[in-house]
Amino acid sequence: MNAAAHAPSSRTPLLQMLLGASVISSSAVFVKWVEIGPAASAFWRMALAAVILLVLLGQPWRRGRMRHWRPDGRVLGLVMLGAAFLALDLWLWHRSILYVGVGLSTLLANFQVFVLAGVGALFLGERAGWRLWVGLIMGLIGLGLLLAPGWESMDARFRLGVAFGLAAALAYGGFLLAFRAAQARRGPTPNEALQWWLCLGCAAMLGVSVPFGGETLLPASAHDWLILTAYAAIAQVLGWLVIGRAMPKLPAGVVGLCLLLQPLLAYVWDVLLFHKSLGAIELVGIGLSLAGIFLGLARGDQPLFSARQDA
């Protein structure tokens, strides 16, 4: 009786993880659907998410808890450094989505697993292990199968999109390093508060960048407002909160396997919604890349550190 009673709760983190990974796989779809520029859509994702977080978390200033939402200067500095990296990541990734498509851009961005592993091995004294090297080789071979056959016929826009996707992986790695350092030093400040400051700082930086790209900041239609609100609520708030709470309760291998839903489902959405066609060689390339990313995610005992939660 007791075992039966506890069975559903023991499955809850896994179900939350699957839900969160599925939810954030839709991120690139919203970027494709909205009819404003890539930096502007990134700005509204973070700005609206900051508002939604305050509403969901009960407006802390009304409960006398605002002092706990103010991290000390060093922590706030790390959060703002993370916000700068995340703003760059979204600036690059949104362009990659528009240039190469939903599926490939998401797969490229997930190569940040290897960026963080390299930083850990070179500067943090972490042991890389065979999983990392095998995963990296598989990922590169898979990426080669995806890109090499038609590379010479691809236009400059597509090639730039590939470069943007890989650069986004580097930027996201920088974000995780800074934000995890802030979390480790946050003291009594809730993790949700750090996410709110992150959204606020990232939105400010993206807002400044919008005019330089010749974009218009304000959406022109109710349709765009609806998509941007859904983007912020689903991809940024719901996805991050659900995954962040489920990850610490699951083994690294299970987390890695669940997180593969992000790039895998991104390709599904690309096929179903945007009529992307995939040949046999591309399918093999996708499979190898996903297997390599899984090995990179499951290489150690701290999956939270290496997981991408926005793509």
Side-chain angles (χ1 to χ4, degrees):
M1 181 70 180
N2 289 337
H6 288 294
S9 61
S10 66
R11 292 194 297 267
T12 299
L14 177 60
L15 295 175
Q16 289 176 334
M17 192 70 208
L18 291 172
L19 171 63
S22 300
V23 160
I24 62 176
S25 73
S26 65
S27 297
V29 173
F30 292 113
V31 178
K32 286 280 286 187
W33 274 343
V34 74
E35 296 180 2
I36 61 174
S41 62
F43 164 80
W44 286 112
R45 165 180 171 160
M46 304 307 291
L48 292 172
V51 175
I52 294 169
L53 270 173
L54 282 184
V55 173
L56 287 180
L57 299 175
Q59 298 173 336
W61 60 84
R62 293 186 177 180
R63 299 184 180 181
R65 296 187 292 116
M66 192 61 192
R67 67 182 184 277
H68 294 308
W69 274 59
R70 295 173 182 167
D72 64 40
R74 183 173 62 170
V75 173
L76 185 58
L78 287 169
V79 172
M80 290 301 107
L81 177 61
F85 277 115
L86 184 57
L88 178 60
D89 163 67
L90 291 174
W91 192 96
L92 292 163
W93 183 53
H94 279 204
R95 281 166 172 76
S96 181
I97 293 167
L98 299 178
Y99 294 177
V100 305
V102 168
L104 181 56
S105 63
T106 304
L107 183 66
L108 291 169
N110 272 273
F111 269 65
Q112 56 80 30
V113 170
F114 304 117
V115 174
L116 285 182
V119 171
L122 292 174
F123 302 106
L124 303 179
E126 296 179 359
R127 294 182 59 185
W130 67 267
R131 288 185 181 87
L132 172 63
W133 299 115
V134 173
L136 178 59
I137 292 170
M138 292 177 68
L140 291 176
I141 293 174
L143 191 59
L145 290 175
L146 277 169
L147 299 177
W151 184 255
E152 292 184 358
S153 62
M154 299 299 179
D155 58 20
R157 177 184 169 94
F158 182 91
R159 297 183 183 188
L160 187 59
V162 172
F164 280 163
L166 292 174
L170 286 169
Y172 196 81
F175 153 68
L176 278 180
L177 288 169
F179 194 64
R180 292 303 171 201
Q183 287 180 315
R185 297 168 173 81
R186 64 185 172 90
T189 305
N191 187 56
E192 290 83 357
L194 294 188
Q195 291 192 24
W196 181 75
W197 285 105
L198 175 72
C199 290
L200 206 63
C202 191
M205 296 173 196
L206 286 165
V208 171
S209 75
V210 169
F212 294 98
E215 300 179 27
T216 301
L217 184 62
L218 290 176
S221 67
H223 172 265
D224 281 348
W225 277 115
L226 180 62
I227 292 176
L228 289 169
T229 303
Y231 184 25
I234 293 173
Q236 185 65 35
V237 177
L238 178 61
W240 277 44
L241 290 180
V242 171
I243 287 179
R245 291 175 182 176
M247 269 186 174
K249 303 175 185 177
L250 294 170
V254 174
V255 170
L257 195 58
C258 291
L259 286 173
L260 288 187
L261 281 175
Q262 299 175 49
L264 179 60
L265 286 179
Y267 267 104
V268 172
W269 309 142
D270 213 353
V271 171
L272 294 180
L273 300 176
F274 305 107
H275 310 295
K276 170 75 174 177
S277 59
L278 297 171
I281 294 179
E282 288 177 302
L283 289 173
V284 173
I286 293 169
L288 282 173
S289 294
L290 291 176
I293 291 170
F294 169 71
L295 287 176
L297 282 170
R299 73 186 189 279
D301 60 355
Q302 293 183 334
L304 242 175
F305 187 71
S306 60
R308 186 179 182 95
Q309 300 178 39
D310 74 332

